[in-house]
Amino acid sequence: MSQSLSRTAFATLLLIAFMMGANHVAARLAFDHGVTVATAVTFRSGVTALVVAAILLAYRVPLKLQANHRKALPAIGLLIGIQSLCLYAAVARLPVALALLAFNTYPLWTALWARVVYGQKPAPHLLKAMPLMLLGLALALDVSGAASGLGAGGHWARIGVGVAFALAAAASFGLALVFTQHEAGDLDGRVRTASTMGIVAVIALVASATQGGLHFPNALPGWWGLLGLTFLYGTAFTIMFTVLPRLGVVGNSAIMNIEPIFALVLAWVFLGQSIAAIQVAGGLIVVATVMWLGLRKG
């Protein structure tokens, strides 16, 4: 970043990362007690859209859209809808930290989509970081199945679908970032977020309808999970668009990519999830690489 962070800004970024990690742990708690992925995304996105819309009204943010914005926003909303459903589907099937680590490959997908859609060549430092990130991910996912003791076949039979969902989430998020940068980068972030979350909520509601409607928790812990994921996600986004601009911090600062580490600790404490030491080491490599890419100047 072009400027050093104040203690307040740094603490705020860590708080957002903590809440995002806790949001996914709460989501897994909800999934384990009867809540479907589509239901969770509906609540999370719908409440966040209302909160950000209230911010728009409070700050009297102009809502006039240009022609390119009107074309781009539905596409971005659709992609984030796919990302949201796929990432929660991964969280429902994998240890939370592993789902987030696989999702953290999105910088690679962003570079790929920028090349495919807009003909931009990947930055040299990204190409250098790519093998390290993939190595870390391979260790974190235990691709050989050695840490799990199941062997490659048995291990991938257990985690394969979840990893596929996490990578699909990363791919769709990467494409959404590329579209946002090129087609809606000049639009107020609060307007983009309100529009995107509203579209995601509608997509998730439609998905819920195909599954027989919204599925609410069947036990008290599930209610805590559903309420927790909604509160944590909405609060994190509210802080992101109200506090961070005043601190002079970019909302997607690389510091927040420490989220999987918070998720790892929280999932161990509240869900009893744990992974092998070699997987933790791989996760640290992925997180460190993504943070280096984000913090690197130029």
Side-chain angles (χ1 to χ4, degrees):
M1 290 182 294
S2 59
Q3 58 183 4
S4 60
L5 293 174
S6 68
R7 291 182 179 179
T8 301
F10 186 78
T12 303
L13 291 170
L14 286 182
L15 176 62
I16 294 173
F18 174 83
M19 287 191 293
M20 286 298 192
N23 144 66
H24 288 97
V25 173
R28 179 57 183 261
L29 184 63
F31 299 149
D32 288 345
H33 293 86
V35 177
T36 62
V37 168
T39 299
V41 175
T42 299
F43 271 80
R44 183 198 76 174
S45 302
V47 170
T48 303
L50 292 175
V51 169
V52 179
I55 293 173
L56 293 177
L57 292 175
Y59 284 84
R60 299 181 179 179
V61 178
L63 300 179
K64 186 176 181 180
L65 301 178
Q66 300 177 9
N68 61 313
H69 298 153
R70 289 193 291 271
K71 293 179 180 179
L73 287 179
I76 294 171
L78 176 61
L79 288 168
I80 296 299
I82 295 172
Q83 177 258 323
S84 298
L85 292 169
C86 286
L87 183 54
Y88 268 7
V91 167
R93 290 167 171 81
L94 296 172
V96 178
L98 295 187
L100 296 179
L101 287 170
F103 173 70
N104 258 25
T105 60
Y106 70 83
L108 306 183
W109 292 100
T110 301
L112 173 63
W113 289 123
R115 175 63 172 174
V116 171
V117 179
Y118 293 100
Q120 293 183 345
K121 293 183 178 180
H125 62 273
L126 179 61
L127 295 177
K128 294 177 181 178
M130 188 181 301
L132 188 60
M133 186 184 297
L134 294 177
L135 171 63
L137 184 63
L139 292 174
L141 294 178
D142 183 28
V143 294
S144 67
S148 68
L150 299 174
H155 182 61
W156 280 97
R158 187 174 68 177
I159 72 166
V161 174
V163 172
F165 273 122
L167 294 178
S172 57
F173 186 64
L175 184 55
L177 290 180
V178 171
F179 281 157
T180 299
Q181 178 184 353
H182 287 85
E183 308 297 342
D186 57 340
L187 183 62
D188 188 292
R190 294 164 294 185
V191 176
R192 283 202 312 266
T193 299
S195 168
T196 299
M197 289 296 101
I199 294 172
V200 172
V202 171
I203 292 173
L205 193 59
V206 171
S208 295
T210 66
Q211 300 172 352
L214 298 174
H215 290 256
F216 295 101
N218 54 27
L220 183 59
W223 282 106
W224 283 115
L226 182 59
L227 294 174
L229 72 90
T230 303
F231 171 78
L232 290 163
Y233 191 86
T235 302
F237 261 87
T238 301
I239 294 174
M240 195 179 300
F241 289 110
T242 57
V243 178
L244 291 190
R246 297 183 180 184
L247 297 175
V249 180
V250 177
N252 61 350
S253 171
I255 297 297
M256 291 189 291
N257 286 300
I258 200 172
E259 174 190 347
I261 304 302
F262 283 126
L264 176 64
V265 175
L266 292 170
W268 173 66
V269 172
F270 292 103
L271 302 175
Q273 293 182 351
S274 61
I275 59 178
I278 189 66
Q279 293 178 281
V280 174
L284 292 175
I285 292 173
V286 174
V287 170
T289 305
V290 175
M291 288 182 66
W292 176 78
L293 288 172
L295 292 171
R296 187 182 184 280
K297 296 180 180 179

